[in-house]
Amino acid sequence: MELKRTATNPTVSAPAAAKRTPYLLKHWQIYTMVLPGLIYFVLFKYIPLTGIVIAFQDYNVFNGIFGSKLVGLKHFYNLFTYPEFLRVLKNTLLISIYQIVLGFPAPIALAMLMNEVRKLLFKRTVQTVLYLPHFLSWVIVGGLVINFLSPSSGMANDFLRWLGKEPVFFMQEPSYFRSIVVISGIWKEVGWGTIIYLAALAGINPELYEAAEVDGAGKLKQAFSITLPSLLPTIMVLLLLRVGNVLDLGFEQIYMLLNPLVTDTGEIIDTYIYRIGLLGGQYSYTTAIGLFKSVVGVILVVGANQLSKKTTGESIY
């Protein structure tokens, strides 16, 4: 009888009914907001993954995926037997390493310098000037670089002439190409990269700097004892993500600056895929290259994450 009265008591049954309400239905508004993002990833990230199968086929556009012949690991074997691909892989690794060694610390140093500026108007003006190149496409930036280094009318060669030296054909010299790529990339993105670090610097307790000044620490000592340790979690997360993209330099920059005279030292995997895959019609071979890039990226991210977790205690998961 007690159980029966409890079941019919509205003050008792209401909470019980609320507990029985599924969590998804209870918070349907939140999941509705997430739904467009989930649909995007399913349509444009996960469903296209089914196309990876053509890396194991001699794919023919007329026969389609289901009608093309399976060839197993043939195209992956070709990756490491074609001297052309090995050359392209070497170029990609070298340029990526240069960008990490020289380009990754640049926004950190710039953010630390900007953080020391006390004139607000000057600081905002400099930030705006440094941010602007990020919003320019590589078509514009590539044109600016080519014009700047032009042997006939470029400012760089005008300066060399002023010094009494002969003009240099920078864009036609293979030895200069990688340096041009790295420097132009830093110039375009260094300002935008400082935003994250400036936000992290804003979260540092000012009392730490005041205590350091009382102890007699100068600006350099404060930078290494307070600023850099406080930025370490942000630095490690961004570095781990950058390491995962070591084979993904981006197509636009290299394509805009590349020319036949510097192909041996300047062609990377992305431009190679475009030339061989889209223009040459070797879809299976270039899909195998793309899958190889993805696997290497995952291995690097997981390995670097574990190494960072053991050495610094910071990780992305």
Side-chain angles (χ1 to χ4, degrees), residues 9-81:
N9 190 344
T11 60
V12 178
S13 60
K19 291 181 180 179
R20 290 195 300 268
T21 303
Y23 184 85
L24 182 62
L25 295 178
K26 184 179 179 181
H27 302 280
W28 65 270
Q29 298 94 337
I30 298 176
Y31 287 97
T32 302
M33 295 173 62
V34 176
L35 190 60
L38 293 176
I39 293 175
Y40 167 79
F41 278 99
V42 169
L43 291 179
F44 299 103
K45 300 296 182 180
Y46 290 101
I47 292 179
L49 287 177
T50 57
I52 290 176
V53 69
I54 71 175
F56 306 94
Q57 299 176 329
D58 272 335
Y59 177 71
N60 186 292
V61 293
F62 299 104
N63 296 332
I65 293 178
F66 299 103
S68 299
K69 178 183 176 182
L70 286 171
V71 294
L73 300 177
K74 170 187 172 183
H75 300 294
F76 294 94
Y77 174 78
N78 292 337
L79 289 182
F80 303 102
T81 55

Side-chain angles (χ1 to χ4, degrees), residues 280-309:
Q282 299 186 37
Y283 303 111
S284 294
Y285 175 59
T286 49
T287 301
I289 297 176
L291 183 57
F292 167 76
K293 284 178 52 180
S294 301
V295 172
V296 170
V298 170
I299 293 174
L300 288 175
V301 167
V302 173
N305 186 72
Q306 293 300 319
L307 180 63
S308 175
K309 185 183 295 185

